[in-house]
Each structure stands twice: as structure tokens, then as C-alpha cells.
Amino acid sequence: MVALLRTLGYDAIGVESNRLARSATASEAEQFNLLNEFTELPFDDHVFDAVVETALCRLPQQEVGKAIEEIRRVTSMAWCLDR
């Protein structure tokens, strides 16, 4: 998704918590798709206008609340949950 969004002109950055999932990233987008835990995002507060979330369903239940807090922390305007 990061490569597609960047092709469309968005300044998109992705985060994968799984090495295998990240290995599927297109080579031209690798530098924009980080390997990191969703519960400790490596970004400053309110740095993104929007966040499209697609991974909460794969997290252990005890990590979902912290991941949501992190999404809210880094987002300045809105965020979208995607199944």
C-alpha cells in the first residue's frame, strides 16, 4: 500500500511489525516501510495528518489499547480503521 500511495503523490510511510510482511514491500518503497512494533511508533507527536490502520486485528488483545493510543498520539487530524 505504501508504494501505491507514494505513486499517487502521498507522502506515505508504513509500519510493519512482521519481518515476513515487510519483506513483501516493493524495493522502491522499502525505505518508507519501517519494521517496528505498533505499540511504540518511532514518530513525534501529531506528525501525520491521517493514519490508515490495517493491523489491529492481528495484534494480541492486550496490545490493542496501546497501539490505538500510539495511533492517536502520532495523528493530528484523523485516522481510519480498516478491517
Side-chain angles (χ1 to χ4, degrees):
M1 182 185 296
V2 172
L4 174 62
L5 289 170
R6 294 191 73 81
T7 299
L8 294 172
Y10 293 96
D11 186 16
I13 297 176
V15 176
E16 296 286 353
S17 65
N18 180 290
R19 288 184 191 280
L20 183 59
R22 187 174 181 277
S23 70
T25 302
S27 59
E28 67 273 10
E30 282 181 358
Q31 66 180 330
F32 304 108
N33 198 21
L34 310 177
L35 182 63
N36 203 87
E37 294 299 322
F38 301 124
T39 55
E40 296 181 26
L41 296 174
F43 308 110
D44 292 334
D45 294 354
H46 312 293
V47 70
F48 298 107
D49 291 337
V51 170
V52 177
E53 182 294 306
T54 61
L56 286 179
C57 62
R58 293 190 295 274
L59 290 180
Q61 187 67 35
Q62 66 271 18
E63 293 182 11
V64 171
K66 177 62 175 158
I68 290 172
E69 287 176 14
E70 281 292 277
I71 292 169
R72 292 176 69 189
R73 180 185 65 77
V74 301
T75 307
S76 66
M77 298 172 101
W79 59 288
C80 173
L81 294 173
D82 188 15
R83 53 186 153 141

